[in-house]
Amino acid sequence: MLSRTTLVGPVGLARQALPLRQFHIKSSGLRPKHGQPQIYKGFRRKTSEAGEDKSGHINAAPNEGILFLDNVFPLKLRWLLRLPFLNVDKSIPELLKRLNSPRIGAADPMSIIQRALPKDLPIKVTEVLPRLKEGGAFVKFSHEPQIELKEIEGTLRDYLKENPIKPWFNPWRRVRTFLVKGRPWIEDLYRFPSSRLRVEFLPIEPGGEAAELSQETLYSIFRRYGKLVDIMPQPVDSKVAPKFAFLNFRLIRHAIMAKNCMHGFIVPGSEGGGKAGTVLRLVYEQKMKAHWIRDWIVNHPRITIPLIAALLATVTAAAFDPIRTFFIKAHVTHSFHITDNMYYKWLMSQVTRANDLLSFKRQKSDEASLSVIWEERKDDIEQIQAWLMETADTFVVIQGPRGSGKKELVIDQALKDRRNTLVVDCKPIQEARGDSSTIGATADQVGYKPVFSFMNNISSLIDLAAQGTIGTKTGFSETLDTQLDKIFQNTAIALKQIALEDRKKEDKDAGIGDDEYLEAHPERRPVVVIDNFLHKSSESSTVYDKISQWAAGLTTSNVAHVIFLTNDVSFSKSLSKALPDRVFRQITLGDCSPEVAKRFVINHLDADSSDNFDGDEKLTTSQRRSDLGQLDGCIETLGGRLTELEFLARRIKAGQTPFSAVHEIIDQSASEILKMYILDVDRGTRSWTAPQAWELVKSLSTHEQIRYNEVLLSDTFKTGGEAVLQALEQAELITIVSTNGRPYSIKPGKPVYQAAFKLLTEDHVLKARLDLAILSELTKIETQSIDKYEAELNLLANLPKQPGELAPRIKWLLAKLHASQAKIEKYEEEGGALKKVLHAEY
């Protein structure tokens, strides 16, 4: 804002004695030029942008008037008012002083004012008040009593029309001037001009009445200051006081002129101002209201919230996706794995030589004992490696019971020399509780960082609140499927970049596309190993469906080789959804042969044995043990499952005999069977009952395998028998053996389970209790059958006539009823004997 410049001199000084053009600007005010005679003495008065004595007004005494000149300052300089360090009263006079240069005299604002006032105008300027934010200036003057202000205004306006003054900053519009009729409010607030004015109608005295001027009256008063676009009176039903009307001018400068000339003007009653007259108070009204963007966003949530969600998603994808792809690549290539660093490997080798720690012995023992297994499975290892070198899409499934060494076979042997491998363990993903935990577990498996899984819960709450408020979802929250798709999509991009990173322009096939290149070079593709596939698949299949679709996309686009490791024999049902027209390459792992199992245990014992000398003879642990002759019988009981064999070797190494170690394994397995399949069975979470599981345990305790269809025909499995058997196979209590695609026999889930089944059936109390439960279940089944037969017989008995054709049906129902009753009596007799056992034994 510019400071007011004060003229110095007595009020009554004649204009001819000191022409206006004889002044120049100094920081202290308007002074006469050097060389001109100073024929007066006077006083100096300084005012500011806030008016005389900072009162906010400029007053005119008798024989004085005030003019307002526009187009003196550029309106674009209004931004200077927002500068906090600018002192208006001190800075603007200095600015005016610098502008008063002979080189740019035409640019001097005071020069513009001097040129606007003719020499022969009979007035004497006493004060000049520049208004920077309004682009003009107030000029206060005195005049002879016989001269009217209207004559001065008319003469001055005619002069400016004949001699237009167009400043350099606005060469298309001339300077205009009007007489100030009201009492202008000169404020230095942060209120900026607008083309719209709010005209308020006030009484002359407090408590009086003010008239609401009509549109015609307002037009006649304000049209002289510029083109009016519209006049909008206050709505009739509005109770806002004081009454008001809006004036819309075509240009901002017109509104500025009207506001400065008519603020505080009293409209007399003769011109429509009422009996006592009406005072006009004018203020700028911004057409674009403050905070309109915020208000629009708040008032239109159905549009703005989805737009904000889309914007956030776009920014997140642009900012974080490259970072996440980088971390996935580092996870696959093991860039930040210290165990793959050459210096770390050298250091660990030196530590291994210098220290004989137990952990290193155990690792050596494990490697030595497993080498026997790999020799037997050498063909499977070579087969997997051969499949990975084929150009066709590779979709390999390694199926086998838990503890059969699937993961070690693939990762430690078949992929031992592969550089880029990604292992995705489905177990922590499937066992995660809640969407956030599932997202976090999935991201951790593929190296997807950063991941804000907790934001999913917050977004869901926001979405729920918005839906309750506006009735529709905002799109802030994303479903689990969407989040998993993002993670797997980024992983696929990273895997493709890894597969193509060694491609060079000098290669012979540099001219082919990326897809053709990956198809021609299967050795470049990374390998994705999906471990524990279909683990607890009965609880939820969402994760497995997504993984299957993602794996199918990787193989069909030749981005990576995919190997599934699963315990589930029904894996083809899940994978066929993703690849219905493909044949899976499959390897089924079983138990080791007795010879290999025995060598495994012996090698495990001898791998880390200390050196013992008996004279010149070096003896191993197996040679020093005299009880290893029991191994043949123990291995026949345990079978060839690696987990049981390793446990046996560790127990023998701890000092137990093979027989005692096997008995401990059998006891542990029996306790596991009771807890998981019989005693703690919840019908709501399990698909079988305790009597059904016990029926299989009893049958398999005396037979290595039983007929599949024979089990289905038994009374215990009459209802939903196949679903129960499949659930027990999933739980690994039994194994269903198939031939030509159909199941034909049932075996224990583990070889050691047969001995555990036999141990359980030898417990008379437990056997009596569970057999009694079976009899109760069978009695309930027969009772339901009897009720059904009796209901039908009752229906036939109530018929009006008994035709002879009903005799065979009645005879059949009676026979069935008699047979069911005989069974119930038999079950009660057997149950009585079992109850005696429960009463007599502990």
Side-chain angles (χ1 to χ4, degrees):
M1 294 181 290
L2 292 177
S3 173
R4 166 180 282 178
T5 304
T6 307
L7 293 177
V8 179
V11 174
L13 189 62
R15 172 67 188 222
Q16 290 77 4
L18 187 60
L20 181 62
R21 291 188 180 276
Q22 301 299 320
F23 289 100
H24 68 95
I25 297 173
K26 288 190 175 182
S27 60
S28 59
L30 200 63
R31 292 287 191 176
K33 290 186 178 179
H34 296 289
Q36 299 293 334
Q38 296 187 14
I39 59 176
Y40 65 93
K41 295 182 179 179
F43 60 92
R44 188 175 72 184
R45 183 173 75 249
K46 182 179 179 181
T47 58
S48 68
E49 182 79 3
E52 297 175 354
D53 299 327
K54 296 185 178 180
S55 62
H57 294 93
I58 176 172
N59 298 312
N63 299 327
E64 287 186 340
I66 303 172
L67 294 169
F68 185 81
L69 281 75
D70 71 348
N71 213 15
V72 176
F73 300 99
L75 287 175
K76 300 298 182 182
L77 292 180
R78 288 177 295 175
W79 61 271
L80 290 172
L81 297 173
R82 301 182 183 274
L83 299 179
F85 55 83
L86 181 64
N87 188 323
V88 177
D89 291 340
K90 295 182 180 179
S91 303
I92 301 307
E94 184 66 23
L95 175 63
L96 292 176
K97 178 181 177 181
R98 294 181 181 181
L99 288 174
N100 189 19
S101 172
R103 297 180 181 178
I104 54 174
D108 181 7
M110 296 309 299
S111 175
I112 294 174
I113 298 175
Q114 292 173 8
R115 291 161 57 197
L117 301 176
K119 295 180 180 181
D120 55 354
L121 191 66
I123 65 172
K124 180 171 54 180
V125 177
T126 57
E127 291 183 32
V128 176
L129 176 61
R131 296 287 292 171
L132 175 62
K133 69 178 181 180
E134 295 178 319
F138 288 100
V139 177
K140 185 177 180 180
F141 63 92
S142 63
H143 61 89
E144 296 296 334
Q146 65 273 15
I147 302 176
E148 294 185 1
L149 291 175
K150 288 185 178 181
E151 296 179 4
I152 296 174
E153 180 187 20
T155 302
L156 186 57
R157 292 184 63 190
D158 293 340
Y159 172 79
L160 291 177
K161 288 181 180 179
E162 296 173 358
N163 304 280
I165 301 174
K166 298 180 179 180
W168 61 271
F169 52 81
N170 192 3
W172 308 109
R173 296 197 175 274
R174 62 183 178 86
V175 175
R176 298 191 312 152
T177 184
F178 284 92
L179 186 67
V180 177
K181 295 183 177 182
R183 190 187 182 203
W185 182 28
I186 305 170
E187 38 77 21
D188 55 357
L189 303 175
Y190 282 4
R191 296 180 179 178
F192 300 99
S194 170
S195 61
R196 172 180 288 185
L197 290 178
R198 178 187 174 105
V199 184
E200 298 178 352
F201 311 115
L202 304 175
I204 295 178
E205 296 180 356
E209 294 183 359
E212 183 178 359
L213 303 185
S214 64
Q215 297 186 41
E216 292 84 354
T217 304
L218 291 173
Y219 182 86
S220 63
I221 294 174
F222 291 98
R223 176 61 183 84
R224 64 195 304 263
Y225 300 108
K227 172 67 176 176
L228 280 168
V229 177
D230 192 14
I231 299 176
M232 296 181 294
Q234 184 178 5
V236 179
D237 57 347
S238 176
K239 297 182 180 180
V240 177
K243 297 293 185 178
F244 64 90
F246 289 116
L247 302 178
N248 289 333
F249 287 89
R250 189 170 65 89
L251 297 177
I252 294 180
R253 290 190 181 276
H254 296 168
I256 294 172
M257 183 66 75
K259 188 255 185 188
N260 288 317
C261 293
M262 296 303 294
H263 181 87
F265 176 70
I266 299 176
V267 182
S270 60
E271 297 181 7
K275 295 181 179 180
T278 300
V279 179
L280 302 181
R281 183 170 67 187
L282 281 73
V283 292
Y284 296 117
E285 183 77 12
Q286 298 295 331
K287 285 186 176 181
M288 186 178 295
K289 296 183 178 180
H291 312 298
W292 68 273
I293 296 178
R294 182 193 65 189
D295 295 341
W296 190 86
I297 290 174
V298 172
N299 295 330
H300 299 81
R302 295 188 179 185
I303 300 175
T304 56
I305 294 180
L307 287 178
I308 293 173
L311 180 62
L312 289 176
T314 303
V315 172
T316 302
F320 289 105
D321 280 0
I323 301 175
R324 290 163 175 164
T325 303
F326 169 78
F327 278 109
I328 294 173
K329 291 172 63 177
H331 181 76
V332 176
T333 57
H334 311 288
S335 301
F336 300 142
H337 290 197
I338 189 173
T339 54
D340 296 329
N341 187 276
M342 58 181 299
Y343 301 106
Y344 177 82
K345 291 180 179 179
W346 177 84
L347 179 62
M348 294 304 294
S349 64
Q350 299 302 316
V351 173
T352 304
R353 293 177 182 178
N355 301 282
D356 190 18
L357 297 177
L358 182 60
S359 60
F360 293 101
K361 286 183 178 182
R362 183 174 298 129
Q363 181 179 3
K364 180 180 177 183
S365 173
D366 294 342
E367 293 177 353
S369 56
L370 287 174
S371 62
V372 181
I373 308 297
W374 307 143
E375 289 179 5
E376 184 185 26
R377 297 177 175 175
K378 184 178 180 181
D379 294 339
D380 295 335
I381 297 172
E382 292 177 351
Q383 181 63 69
I384 295 173
Q385 293 174 344
W387 283 338
L388 296 179
M389 296 304 295
E390 293 181 0
T391 57
D393 52 302
T394 310
F395 208 78
V396 181
V397 180
I398 310 297
Q399 190 275 327
R402 199 180 327 179
S404 56
K406 299 182 295 296
K407 188 174 182 180
E408 293 79 4
L409 174 74
V410 174
I411 297 176
D412 297 338
Q413 298 301 314
L415 303 179
K416 182 169 56 177
D417 299 327
R418 299 287 296 205
R419 189 176 54 173
N420 301 322
T421 57
L422 173 62
V423 180
V424 179
D425 191 355
C426 299
K427 184 176 181 179
I429 301 175
Q430 185 67 8
E431 292 180 351
R433 292 293 176 263
D435 291 351
S436 298
S437 300
T438 303
I439 294 168
T442 306
D444 185 62
Q445 290 299 314
V446 299
Y448 182 88
K449 300 175 184 178
V451 56
F452 309 108
S453 57
F454 65 92
M455 290 299 297
N456 194 53
N457 292 335
I458 299 176
S459 300
S460 299
L461 293 177
I462 295 175
D463 204 2
L464 183 61
Q467 185 177 6
T469 304
I470 65 178
T472 58
K473 290 187 176 181
T474 60
F476 269 122
S477 63
E478 294 181 337
T479 61
L480 177 62
D481 293 352
T482 306
Q483 294 278 12
L484 294 179
D485 287 338
K486 284 185 178 180
I487 295 175
F488 291 136
Q489 183 179 2
N490 276 75
T491 307
I493 294 173
L495 291 173
K496 187 171 184 178
Q497 292 178 3
I498 292 172
L500 297 173
E501 64 182 2
D502 293 334
R503 190 178 184 186
K504 300 178 181 179
K505 295 182 179 179
E506 297 80 12
D507 295 339
K508 295 180 181 179
D509 51 3
I512 64 176
D514 292 341
D515 295 338
E516 292 80 4
Y517 177 83
L518 292 176
E519 184 176 1
H521 294 275
E523 73 281 358
R524 304 278 187 178
R525 305 177 207 164
V527 180
V528 178
V529 180
I530 300 176
D531 192 17
N532 288 317
F533 184 66
L534 298 180
H535 172 74
K536 293 185 178 180
S537 58
S538 58
E539 297 181 1
S540 174
S541 61
T542 302
V543 173
Y544 296 120
D545 292 340
K546 289 296 177 182
I547 291 177
S548 301
Q549 294 172 5
W550 172 60
L554 294 178
T555 55
T556 53
S557 59
N558 295 316
V559 171
H561 305 286
V562 181
I563 301 177
F564 286 91
L565 308 180
T566 180
N567 306 330
D568 198 327
V569 295
S570 60
F571 63 87
S572 59
K573 295 180 181 178
S574 179
L575 296 180
S576 296
K577 298 178 183 178
L579 287 174
D581 56 343
R582 302 298 174 96
V583 178
F584 310 129
R585 294 177 170 87
Q586 177 183 353
I587 292 179
T588 302
L589 298 182
D591 298 329
C592 301
S593 62
E595 296 79 8
V596 173
K598 184 176 181 180
R599 289 174 54 194
F600 174 84
V601 175
I602 293 175
N603 287 351
H604 201 286
L605 294 175
D606 294 342
D608 57 346
S609 59
S610 57
D611 296 337
N612 293 326
F613 292 94
D614 186 7
D616 295 334
E617 185 180 1
K618 181 179 180 181
L619 299 178
T620 62
T621 302
S622 60
Q623 292 173 343
R624 295 195 307 270
R625 296 291 295 259
S626 59
D627 52 2
L628 293 185
Q630 304 171 2
L631 277 179
D632 294 333
C634 294
I635 290 176
E636 184 178 355
T637 302
L638 292 181
R641 193 66 55 89
L642 292 181
T643 51
E644 278 75 18
L645 293 176
E646 186 176 2
F647 185 75
L648 173 64
R650 295 188 185 282
R651 292 291 88 199
I652 294 175
K653 189 184 299 185
Q656 289 184 331
T657 63
F659 280 159
S660 63
V662 167
H663 285 309
E664 183 176 345
I665 295 174
I666 294 174
D667 291 340
Q668 183 176 350
S669 299
S671 301
E672 177 184 331
I673 293 169
L674 281 177
K675 180 175 179 59
M676 293 181 60
Y677 307 108
I678 299 176
L679 297 183
D680 297 336
V681 175
D682 183 5
R683 187 63 177 172
T685 58
R686 305 295 176 93
S687 301
W688 67 87
T689 61
Q692 289 173 330
W694 179 248
E695 183 71 24
L696 293 174
V697 168
K698 285 200 308 178
S699 301
L700 291 173
S701 64
T702 56
H703 300 85
E704 292 184 1
Q705 60 181 4
I706 56 178
R707 298 180 183 87
Y708 181 84
N709 294 320
E710 183 181 359
V711 174
L712 293 179
L713 293 175
S714 63
D715 294 335
T716 311
F717 290 89
K718 276 185 177 181
T719 305
E722 287 192 302
V724 171
L725 293 178
Q726 290 176 2
L728 288 171
E729 183 186 27
Q730 293 286 338
E732 298 185 358
L733 176 66
I734 60 173
T735 298
I736 299 177
V737 183
S738 301
T739 179
N740 297 327
R742 68 168 183 86
Y744 76 94
S745 67
I746 298 175
K747 298 172 60 177
K750 296 180 181 179
V752 71
Y753 274 3
Q754 187 168 16
F757 293 163
K758 186 176 181 180
L759 178 64
L760 290 174
T761 56
E762 292 175 352
D763 187 343
H764 299 294
V765 176
L766 177 65
K767 185 175 182 299
R769 173 188 170 186
L770 295 176
D771 285 346
L772 186 62
I774 292 177
L775 293 176
S776 299
E777 188 71 23
L778 295 176
T779 301
K780 186 186 298 183
I781 294 173
E782 296 301 330
T783 302
Q784 293 174 354
S785 299
I786 290 175
D787 292 339
K788 183 174 63 174
Y789 301 147
E790 289 177 344
E792 187 173 354
L793 287 171
N794 187 31
L795 178 63
L796 295 176
N798 292 328
L799 291 176
K801 295 182 180 181
Q802 299 292 333
E805 290 81 3
L806 291 179
R809 180 64 180 177
I810 296 173
K811 185 177 180 181
W812 180 85
L813 290 173
L814 292 174
K816 284 290 186 180
L817 193 150
H818 176 72
S820 296
Q821 180 61 31
K823 288 182 180 180
I824 292 175
E825 293 176 358
K826 178 184 176 183
Y827 296 155
E828 289 181 351
E829 183 180 354
E830 294 177 357
L834 295 174
K835 289 179 182 179
K836 291 181 180 179
V837 175
L838 294 177
H839 285 297
E841 299 184 15
Y842 289 97

